């Protein structure tokens, strides 16, 4: 569906009444302006009118409707097509929700197509509308504002992931904490998904920041800042992945050590219990001629010997940290 549509001339927004055809007609009549249309998860029928009005390439139009694309920048004649992955962190489940934003940029139009509930563009539009100087750059100003917002959200998500890793580290080295193996694997999977969203975007931002996209020459300096933030996030994600590997290795090593400690305790108690069991087993044999068998104090003496040996063994094993 269409979320918003407006004409921007001299840095000022003008709302449009009517359908998309009316919006394009109004923009063409004014001349020195551009049209920004925002759509959210449009159907093929809804996007068909936009495609026909702007003469978008069928392949790009198909990508915009179906989504599930990797970050990329492509050119179709005089139209740029950019795909961005959006990220949103869910506190309750420690999951990263992934969405997509597709942008079509031409000389006098910008079309944004959003998929997924995360990263709405209302704040981007409001921020851009408050900066008339930036709006003078035309549709490329929309491209910069959207990319800047998406990358800033990457930084927020990276901070939340780091906080989750710190909590996992504390749980790993807490002997009373429950097993966190599943949480480690789950967060590692989310980090890999994070990487698949931001890493392919790096060469795209480099292309723009280095001036290889002629339409963006006027905003190259702004994209350098976006690229700097993106590279910082990329480094953080690599560090998070390595740190999770270390946390998992430490956790598995500690689990193995705890299992060994448990086995040692079981073996130690088995050794202590074996002493009275062996002695009782000897005296349980039905022979007449056995030492102390007919002695008046034989029974308490044997019990005392059992107790002494068990206590000695307990102290020895406790001193050697088997118990």
């Amino acid at each position: 569906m269409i979320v918003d549509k407006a004409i921007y001339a001299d840095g000022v927004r003008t709302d449009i009444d009517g359908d998309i055809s009316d919006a394009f007609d109004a923009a063409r009549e004014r001349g020195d302006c551009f049209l920004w249309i925002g759509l959210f998860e449009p159907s093929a029928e809804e996007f068909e009118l936009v495609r026909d009005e702007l003469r978008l390439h069928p392949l790009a139009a198909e990508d915009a409707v179906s989504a599930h694309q990797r970050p990329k920048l492509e050119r179709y004649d005089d139209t740029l097509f950019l795909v961005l992955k959006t990220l949103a962190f869910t506190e309750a489940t420690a999951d990263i929700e992934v969405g997509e934003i597709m942008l079509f940029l031409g000389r006098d139009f910008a079309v944004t197509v959003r998929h997924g509930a995360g990263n709405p563009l209302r704040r981007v539009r409001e921020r851009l509308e408050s900066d008339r100087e930036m709006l003078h750059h035309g549709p490329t100003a929309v491209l910069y504002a959207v990319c800047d917002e998406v990358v800033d959200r990457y930084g927020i998500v990276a901070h939340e992931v780091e906080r989750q890793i710190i909590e996992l580290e504390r749980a790993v080295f807490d002997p009373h904490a429950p097993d966190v193996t599943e949480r480690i694997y789950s967060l590692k999977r989310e980090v890999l998904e994070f990487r698949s969203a931001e890493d392919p975007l790096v060469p795209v931002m480099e292309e723009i920041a280095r001036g290889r996209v002629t339409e963006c020459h006027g905003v190259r300096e702004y994209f350098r800042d976006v690229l700097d933030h993106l590279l910082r996030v990329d480094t953080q994600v690599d560090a998070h992945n390595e740190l999770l590997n270390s946390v998992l290795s430490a956790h598995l090593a500690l689990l193995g050590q705890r299992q060994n400690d448990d086995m040692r305790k079981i073996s130690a108690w088995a050794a202590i219990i074996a002493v009275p069991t062996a002695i009782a087993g000897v005296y349980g044999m039905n022979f007449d001629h056995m030492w102390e068998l007919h002695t008046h104090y034989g029974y308490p003496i044997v019990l005392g010997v059992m107790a002494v040996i068990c206590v000695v063994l307990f102290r020895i094993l406790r001193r050697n940290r088997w118990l």
Side-chain angles (χ1 to χ4, degrees), residues 7-268:
I7 293 176
Y8 296 87
D10 297 326
V12 178
R13 172 192 173 111
T14 302
D15 291 322
I16 301 169
D17 297 325
D19 58 19
I20 296 178
S21 297
D22 297 332
F24 285 117
D25 292 339
R28 288 161 185 159
E29 287 177 4
R30 297 193 59 160
D32 188 18
C33 63
F34 75 93
L35 176 66
W36 182 1
I37 298 176
L39 299 100
F40 176 69
E41 297 183 355
S43 64
E45 292 76 16
E46 290 174 330
F47 197 73
E48 185 177 357
L49 181 57
V50 177
R51 184 196 66 190
D52 294 341
E53 287 285 345
L54 299 178
R55 298 177 182 177
L56 301 176
H57 195 281
L59 292 177
E62 182 182 352
D63 289 344
V65 173
S66 61
H68 304 296
Q69 305 295 315
R70 70 190 303 273
K72 61 182 178 179
L73 176 63
E74 295 179 341
R75 181 185 295 277
Y76 295 96
D77 297 327
D78 57 350
T79 301
L80 288 178
F81 177 58
L82 177 67
V83 178
L84 299 169
K85 290 284 190 182
T86 62
L87 301 176
F89 188 81
T90 304
E91 181 73 23
T93 59
D95 291 335
I96 298 177
E97 296 183 7
V98 181
E100 291 182 33
I101 295 178
M102 284 84 166
L103 295 96
F104 295 89
L105 269 76
R107 182 181 58 83
D108 56 358
F109 68 85
V111 177
T112 55
V113 183
R114 185 166 59 90
H115 292 266
N119 293 100
L121 296 179
R122 181 180 298 276
R123 188 172 69 173
V124 177
R125 193 183 286 263
E126 291 175 351
R127 190 185 73 178
L128 197 57
E129 289 173 355
S130 66
D131 189 351
R132 296 184 60 179
E133 183 179 350
M134 176 59 70
L135 277 173
H136 281 297
H137 292 287
T140 55
V142 177
L143 177 64
Y144 158 70
V146 173
C147 291
D148 186 52
E149 175 69 14
V150 169
V151 172
D152 285 347
R153 290 294 183 97
Y154 286 174
I156 295 173
V157 174
H159 175 73
E160 293 295 331
V161 170
E162 183 176 0
R163 189 170 60 83
Q164 292 291 321
I165 294 175
I166 293 174
E167 291 181 3
L168 282 175
E169 286 180 321
R170 292 173 179 169
V172 164
F173 292 101
D174 183 359
H176 304 292
D179 187 8
V180 293
T181 306
E182 186 176 353
R183 286 180 57 192
I184 296 174
Y185 272 107
S186 177
L187 187 58
K188 186 171 178 60
R189 183 171 57 251
E190 298 300 320
V191 169
L192 292 177
E193 195 169 21
F194 191 168
R195 183 175 180 80
S196 68
E198 59 82 18
D199 189 59
L201 188 60
V202 173
V204 173
M205 291 297 104
E206 288 177 341
E207 288 286 310
I208 300 175
R210 291 172 182 174
R212 297 172 184 170
V213 181
T214 56
E215 291 86 348
C216 300
H217 278 177
V219 290
R220 283 179 57 192
E221 292 78 8
Y222 296 98
F223 275 100
R224 287 173 186 166
D225 182 64
V226 175
L227 176 61
D228 179 64
H229 292 172
L230 181 59
L231 291 174
R232 190 182 311 160
V233 170
D234 188 57
T235 302
Q236 286 179 304
V237 174
D238 286 341
H240 292 164
N241 190 43
E242 292 298 323
L243 188 55
L244 278 173
N245 288 335
S246 300
V247 171
L248 180 59
S249 298
H251 179 57
L252 294 177
L254 288 173
L255 283 180
Q257 180 179 347
R258 289 168 187 170
Q259 289 176 350
N260 289 337
D261 291 342
D262 292 340
M263 291 300 299
R264 289 171 64 180
K265 290 180 180 180
I266 294 173
S267 300

